Short mmCIF file of all heavy atoms in Angstrom, two decimals:
data_model
loop_
_atom_site.label_atom_id
_atom_site.label_comp_id
_atom_site.label_asym_id
_atom_site.label_seq_id
_atom_site.Cartn_x
_atom_site.Cartn_y
_atom_site.Cartn_z
N GLU A 168 14.86 80.72 -34.29
CA GLU A 168 13.49 80.50 -34.73
C GLU A 168 12.57 80.23 -33.54
O GLU A 168 11.43 80.69 -33.49
CB GLU A 168 13.45 79.31 -35.70
CG GLU A 168 12.07 79.05 -36.29
CD GLU A 168 12.08 77.91 -37.29
OE1 GLU A 168 13.15 77.62 -37.87
OE2 GLU A 168 11.01 77.31 -37.49
N SER A 169 13.09 79.52 -32.55
CA SER A 169 12.29 79.18 -31.37
C SER A 169 12.15 80.36 -30.40
O SER A 169 11.07 80.63 -29.87
CB SER A 169 12.90 77.98 -30.65
OG SER A 169 12.97 76.86 -31.49
N PHE A 170 13.29 81.04 -30.17
CA PHE A 170 13.30 82.13 -29.18
C PHE A 170 12.87 83.47 -29.77
O PHE A 170 12.51 84.39 -29.04
CB PHE A 170 14.70 82.29 -28.59
CG PHE A 170 15.23 81.07 -27.89
CD1 PHE A 170 16.60 80.82 -27.84
CD2 PHE A 170 14.38 80.17 -27.29
CE1 PHE A 170 17.10 79.70 -27.19
CE2 PHE A 170 14.86 79.03 -26.64
CZ PHE A 170 16.23 78.80 -26.60
N GLY A 171 12.94 83.59 -31.07
CA GLY A 171 12.66 84.87 -31.72
C GLY A 171 13.96 85.55 -32.11
O GLY A 171 15.01 85.32 -31.51
N SER A 172 13.89 86.41 -33.12
CA SER A 172 15.09 87.10 -33.61
C SER A 172 15.17 88.53 -33.14
O SER A 172 15.94 89.33 -33.68
CB SER A 172 15.13 87.05 -35.15
OG SER A 172 13.96 87.62 -35.70
N ASP A 173 14.36 88.89 -32.11
CA ASP A 173 14.50 90.21 -31.51
C ASP A 173 15.65 90.17 -30.50
O ASP A 173 16.31 89.14 -30.33
CB ASP A 173 13.21 90.66 -30.85
CG ASP A 173 12.72 89.68 -29.79
OD1 ASP A 173 13.39 88.63 -29.58
OD2 ASP A 173 11.68 89.95 -29.17
N SER A 174 15.89 91.28 -29.82
CA SER A 174 17.05 91.36 -28.93
C SER A 174 16.96 90.34 -27.79
O SER A 174 17.97 89.74 -27.41
CB SER A 174 17.17 92.78 -28.35
OG SER A 174 15.99 93.15 -27.65
N SER A 175 15.77 90.10 -27.25
CA SER A 175 15.65 89.14 -26.16
C SER A 175 15.87 87.71 -26.65
O SER A 175 16.47 86.89 -25.95
CB SER A 175 14.27 89.26 -25.49
OG SER A 175 13.24 88.99 -26.42
N GLY A 176 15.41 87.39 -27.86
CA GLY A 176 15.65 86.07 -28.42
C GLY A 176 17.11 85.82 -28.71
O GLY A 176 17.64 84.73 -28.45
N ILE A 177 17.78 86.85 -29.23
CA ILE A 177 19.22 86.74 -29.48
C ILE A 177 19.97 86.54 -28.17
O ILE A 177 20.89 85.72 -28.07
CB ILE A 177 19.73 87.99 -30.22
CG1 ILE A 177 19.08 88.10 -31.61
CG2 ILE A 177 21.26 87.96 -30.36
CD1 ILE A 177 19.34 89.43 -32.29
N ALA A 178 19.56 87.29 -27.13
CA ALA A 178 20.21 87.18 -25.82
C ALA A 178 20.07 85.78 -25.26
O ALA A 178 21.03 85.20 -24.73
CB ALA A 178 19.60 88.20 -24.86
N LEU A 179 18.89 85.20 -25.40
CA LEU A 179 18.67 83.86 -24.88
C LEU A 179 19.49 82.83 -25.66
O LEU A 179 20.05 81.88 -25.08
CB LEU A 179 17.18 83.51 -24.96
CG LEU A 179 16.73 82.21 -24.26
CD1 LEU A 179 17.18 82.20 -22.80
CD2 LEU A 179 15.21 82.06 -24.36
N ALA A 180 19.60 83.03 -26.97
CA ALA A 180 20.42 82.12 -27.79
C ALA A 180 21.89 82.20 -27.37
O ALA A 180 22.57 81.17 -27.25
CB ALA A 180 20.26 82.46 -29.27
N PHE A 181 22.37 83.41 -27.16
CA PHE A 181 23.76 83.58 -26.70
C PHE A 181 23.97 82.90 -25.34
O PHE A 181 25.00 82.26 -25.10
CB PHE A 181 24.11 85.07 -26.57
CG PHE A 181 24.44 85.74 -27.88
CD1 PHE A 181 24.20 87.10 -28.05
CD2 PHE A 181 25.02 85.04 -28.92
CE1 PHE A 181 24.51 87.74 -29.24
CE2 PHE A 181 25.34 85.67 -30.12
CZ PHE A 181 25.08 87.02 -30.28
N LEU A 182 22.98 83.04 -24.45
CA LEU A 182 23.09 82.45 -23.12
C LEU A 182 23.18 80.91 -23.21
O LEU A 182 24.03 80.28 -22.56
CB LEU A 182 21.88 82.85 -22.28
CG LEU A 182 21.79 82.26 -20.87
CD1 LEU A 182 22.96 82.74 -20.01
CD2 LEU A 182 20.46 82.63 -20.20
N VAL A 183 22.32 80.32 -24.03
CA VAL A 183 22.34 78.86 -24.19
C VAL A 183 23.67 78.40 -24.79
O VAL A 183 24.25 77.39 -24.37
CB VAL A 183 21.16 78.40 -25.06
CG1 VAL A 183 21.27 76.91 -25.40
CG2 VAL A 183 19.83 78.68 -24.36
N HIS A 184 24.18 79.16 -25.76
CA HIS A 184 25.48 78.83 -26.34
C HIS A 184 26.57 78.83 -25.27
O HIS A 184 27.37 77.90 -25.18
CB HIS A 184 25.85 79.85 -27.43
CG HIS A 184 25.30 79.52 -28.78
ND1 HIS A 184 23.97 79.65 -29.08
CD2 HIS A 184 25.90 79.06 -29.91
CE1 HIS A 184 23.77 79.30 -30.35
NE2 HIS A 184 24.93 78.94 -30.87
N GLY A 185 26.61 79.90 -24.48
CA GLY A 185 27.66 80.02 -23.47
C GLY A 185 27.65 78.89 -22.47
O GLY A 185 28.70 78.31 -22.15
N LEU A 186 26.48 78.53 -21.98
CA LEU A 186 26.37 77.47 -20.98
C LEU A 186 26.64 76.09 -21.59
O LEU A 186 27.32 75.25 -21.00
CB LEU A 186 25.00 77.51 -20.33
CG LEU A 186 24.66 78.78 -19.53
CD1 LEU A 186 23.24 78.71 -19.00
CD2 LEU A 186 25.66 78.99 -18.39
N SER A 187 26.10 75.86 -22.78
CA SER A 187 26.26 74.55 -23.42
C SER A 187 27.72 74.29 -23.78
O SER A 187 28.24 73.19 -23.55
CB SER A 187 25.39 74.47 -24.69
OG SER A 187 24.03 74.62 -24.37
N TYR A 188 28.39 75.29 -24.35
CA TYR A 188 29.79 75.10 -24.72
C TYR A 188 30.67 74.93 -23.48
O TYR A 188 31.67 74.22 -23.53
CB TYR A 188 30.27 76.27 -25.57
CG TYR A 188 29.81 76.19 -27.01
CD1 TYR A 188 29.23 77.29 -27.65
CD2 TYR A 188 29.94 75.01 -27.75
CE1 TYR A 188 28.81 77.21 -28.97
CE2 TYR A 188 29.52 74.93 -29.07
CZ TYR A 188 28.95 76.04 -29.67
OH TYR A 188 28.53 75.94 -30.97
N ALA A 189 30.30 75.57 -22.38
CA ALA A 189 31.07 75.39 -21.14
C ALA A 189 31.04 73.94 -20.70
O ALA A 189 32.07 73.36 -20.32
CB ALA A 189 30.52 76.30 -20.04
N VAL A 190 29.87 73.33 -20.75
CA VAL A 190 29.73 71.92 -20.34
C VAL A 190 30.49 71.01 -21.30
O VAL A 190 31.22 70.10 -20.88
CB VAL A 190 28.24 71.52 -20.29
CG1 VAL A 190 28.10 70.01 -20.05
CG2 VAL A 190 27.52 72.30 -19.20
N PHE A 191 30.37 71.26 -22.60
CA PHE A 191 31.00 70.40 -23.59
C PHE A 191 32.53 70.51 -23.52
O PHE A 191 33.24 69.50 -23.58
CB PHE A 191 30.51 70.79 -24.99
CG PHE A 191 30.84 69.76 -26.05
CD1 PHE A 191 30.40 68.45 -25.93
CD2 PHE A 191 31.58 70.11 -27.15
CE1 PHE A 191 30.69 67.51 -26.90
CE2 PHE A 191 31.88 69.18 -28.14
CZ PHE A 191 31.44 67.87 -28.01
N MET A 192 33.05 71.73 -23.35
CA MET A 192 34.50 71.92 -23.27
C MET A 192 35.06 71.35 -21.97
O MET A 192 36.22 70.95 -21.89
CB MET A 192 34.84 73.40 -23.40
CG MET A 192 34.53 73.97 -24.78
SD MET A 192 34.71 75.77 -24.88
CE MET A 192 36.49 75.94 -24.97
N LEU A 193 34.22 71.31 -20.92
CA LEU A 193 34.65 70.74 -19.65
C LEU A 193 35.02 69.26 -19.80
O LEU A 193 35.90 68.76 -19.10
CB LEU A 193 33.54 70.91 -18.60
CG LEU A 193 33.87 70.43 -17.18
CD1 LEU A 193 35.05 71.21 -16.61
CD2 LEU A 193 32.65 70.59 -16.28
N LEU A 194 34.37 68.56 -20.73
CA LEU A 194 34.72 67.16 -20.98
C LEU A 194 36.18 67.05 -21.40
O LEU A 194 36.89 66.14 -20.97
CB LEU A 194 33.81 66.59 -22.07
CG LEU A 194 32.31 66.51 -21.75
CD1 LEU A 194 31.55 66.00 -22.97
CD2 LEU A 194 32.07 65.60 -20.54
N GLY A 195 36.63 67.97 -22.26
CA GLY A 195 38.02 67.96 -22.68
C GLY A 195 38.97 68.27 -21.55
O GLY A 195 40.03 67.65 -21.42
N VAL A 196 38.59 69.24 -20.70
CA VAL A 196 39.42 69.60 -19.55
C VAL A 196 39.64 68.39 -18.64
O VAL A 196 40.75 68.13 -18.17
CB VAL A 196 38.77 70.76 -18.76
CG1 VAL A 196 39.52 71.02 -17.46
CG2 VAL A 196 38.72 72.02 -19.61
N LEU A 197 38.58 67.65 -18.39
CA LEU A 197 38.66 66.51 -17.48
C LEU A 197 39.37 65.30 -18.11
O LEU A 197 39.98 64.50 -17.41
CB LEU A 197 37.26 66.10 -17.04
CG LEU A 197 36.47 67.15 -16.24
CD1 LEU A 197 35.06 66.66 -15.95
CD2 LEU A 197 37.20 67.51 -14.95
N LEU A 198 39.30 65.17 -19.42
CA LEU A 198 39.80 63.98 -20.10
C LEU A 198 41.26 64.06 -20.50
O LEU A 198 41.96 63.05 -20.56
CB LEU A 198 38.95 63.71 -21.35
CG LEU A 198 39.07 62.33 -22.01
CD1 LEU A 198 38.69 61.22 -21.04
CD2 LEU A 198 38.17 62.27 -23.25
N VAL A 199 41.77 65.25 -20.76
CA VAL A 199 43.11 65.39 -21.34
C VAL A 199 44.20 64.93 -20.37
O VAL A 199 44.10 65.13 -19.15
CB VAL A 199 43.36 66.85 -21.79
CG1 VAL A 199 43.56 67.78 -20.59
CG2 VAL A 199 44.55 66.93 -22.74
N ARG A 200 45.25 64.29 -20.90
CA ARG A 200 46.41 63.84 -20.13
C ARG A 200 47.67 64.05 -20.97
O ARG A 200 47.61 64.10 -22.20
CB ARG A 200 46.29 62.34 -19.79
CG ARG A 200 45.10 61.94 -18.94
CD ARG A 200 45.25 62.40 -17.50
NE ARG A 200 44.23 61.83 -16.64
CZ ARG A 200 43.00 62.32 -16.51
NH1 ARG A 200 42.63 63.38 -17.21
NH2 ARG A 200 42.13 61.76 -15.68
N VAL A 201 48.80 64.15 -20.29
CA VAL A 201 50.09 64.18 -20.98
C VAL A 201 50.75 62.82 -20.76
O VAL A 201 50.51 62.15 -19.76
CB VAL A 201 51.00 65.32 -20.46
CG1 VAL A 201 50.39 66.67 -20.76
CG2 VAL A 201 51.26 65.18 -18.96
N PRO A 202 51.59 62.38 -21.72
CA PRO A 202 52.21 61.05 -21.59
C PRO A 202 53.20 60.98 -20.43
O PRO A 202 53.84 61.97 -20.07
CB PRO A 202 52.91 60.86 -22.94
CG PRO A 202 53.10 62.23 -23.49
CD PRO A 202 51.96 63.05 -22.98
N ARG A 203 53.34 59.77 -19.85
CA ARG A 203 54.25 59.56 -18.72
C ARG A 203 55.70 59.49 -19.18
O ARG A 203 56.61 59.85 -18.43
CB ARG A 203 53.91 58.24 -18.01
CG ARG A 203 52.55 58.19 -17.39
CD ARG A 203 52.28 56.80 -16.81
NE ARG A 203 53.21 56.46 -15.76
CZ ARG A 203 53.06 56.82 -14.48
NH1 ARG A 203 52.02 57.53 -14.12
NH2 ARG A 203 53.95 56.46 -13.59
N THR A 204 55.92 59.02 -20.38
CA THR A 204 57.28 58.79 -20.86
C THR A 204 57.50 59.48 -22.18
O THR A 204 56.58 60.01 -22.80
CB THR A 204 57.55 57.28 -21.04
OG1 THR A 204 56.76 56.81 -22.13
CG2 THR A 204 57.21 56.51 -19.78
N GLU A 205 58.77 59.47 -22.61
CA GLU A 205 59.11 60.06 -23.90
C GLU A 205 58.65 59.17 -25.04
O GLU A 205 58.65 59.59 -26.20
CB GLU A 205 60.63 60.25 -24.00
CG GLU A 205 61.19 61.29 -23.04
CD GLU A 205 62.69 61.41 -23.18
OE1 GLU A 205 63.23 60.90 -24.17
OE2 GLU A 205 63.32 62.01 -22.29
N LYS A 206 58.29 57.91 -24.75
CA LYS A 206 57.84 56.98 -25.79
C LYS A 206 56.45 56.45 -25.44
O LYS A 206 56.31 55.37 -24.87
CB LYS A 206 58.83 55.81 -25.93
CG LYS A 206 60.15 56.20 -26.58
CD LYS A 206 60.97 54.96 -26.93
CE LYS A 206 62.23 55.33 -27.69
NZ LYS A 206 62.98 54.14 -28.14
N PRO A 207 55.39 57.22 -25.75
CA PRO A 207 54.04 56.76 -25.44
C PRO A 207 53.62 55.55 -26.24
O PRO A 207 52.65 54.88 -25.91
CB PRO A 207 53.17 57.98 -25.78
CG PRO A 207 53.98 58.77 -26.75
CD PRO A 207 55.41 58.55 -26.37
N VAL A 208 54.34 55.27 -27.35
CA VAL A 208 54.06 54.08 -28.15
C VAL A 208 55.20 53.10 -27.98
O VAL A 208 56.37 53.46 -28.14
CB VAL A 208 53.93 54.44 -29.65
CG1 VAL A 208 53.49 53.23 -30.45
CG2 VAL A 208 52.95 55.58 -29.84
N GLU A 209 54.88 51.85 -27.59
CA GLU A 209 55.92 50.84 -27.39
C GLU A 209 56.74 50.65 -28.66
O GLU A 209 56.20 50.46 -29.74
CB GLU A 209 55.28 49.51 -26.97
CG GLU A 209 56.31 48.46 -26.58
CD GLU A 209 55.64 47.19 -26.08
OE1 GLU A 209 54.40 47.21 -25.88
OE2 GLU A 209 56.35 46.20 -25.90
N SER A 210 58.06 50.74 -28.52
CA SER A 210 59.00 50.61 -29.64
C SER A 210 58.85 51.74 -30.64
O SER A 210 59.37 51.66 -31.75
CB SER A 210 58.83 49.26 -30.36
OG SER A 210 59.04 48.19 -29.46
N GLY A 211 58.11 52.80 -30.27
CA GLY A 211 57.93 53.94 -31.18
C GLY A 211 59.02 54.97 -30.99
O GLY A 211 59.89 54.84 -30.13
N PRO A 212 58.96 56.04 -31.80
CA PRO A 212 59.98 57.08 -31.68
C PRO A 212 59.79 57.91 -30.42
O PRO A 212 58.67 58.07 -29.92
CB PRO A 212 59.74 57.94 -32.93
CG PRO A 212 58.28 57.74 -33.24
CD PRO A 212 57.99 56.32 -32.86
N SER A 213 60.89 58.43 -29.90
CA SER A 213 60.82 59.33 -28.74
C SER A 213 60.28 60.68 -29.18
O SER A 213 60.55 61.15 -30.28
CB SER A 213 62.21 59.51 -28.13
OG SER A 213 62.21 60.56 -27.18
#
Side-chain angles (χ1 to χ4, degrees):
E168 184 178 336
S169 301
F170 300 151
S172 57
D173 57 359
S174 58
S175 61
I177 296 169
L179 189 54
F181 280 151
L182 177 64
V183 172
H184 274 72
L186 296 177
S187 299
Y188 282 131
V190 172
F191 194 58
M192 293 172 77
L193 184 61
L194 296 176
V196 172
L197 297 176
L198 195 60
V199 73
R200 299 288 189 277
V201 296
R203 297 176 62 85
T204 68
E205 294 179 14
K206 288 191 175 185
V208 186
E209 187 176 351
S210 302
S213 169

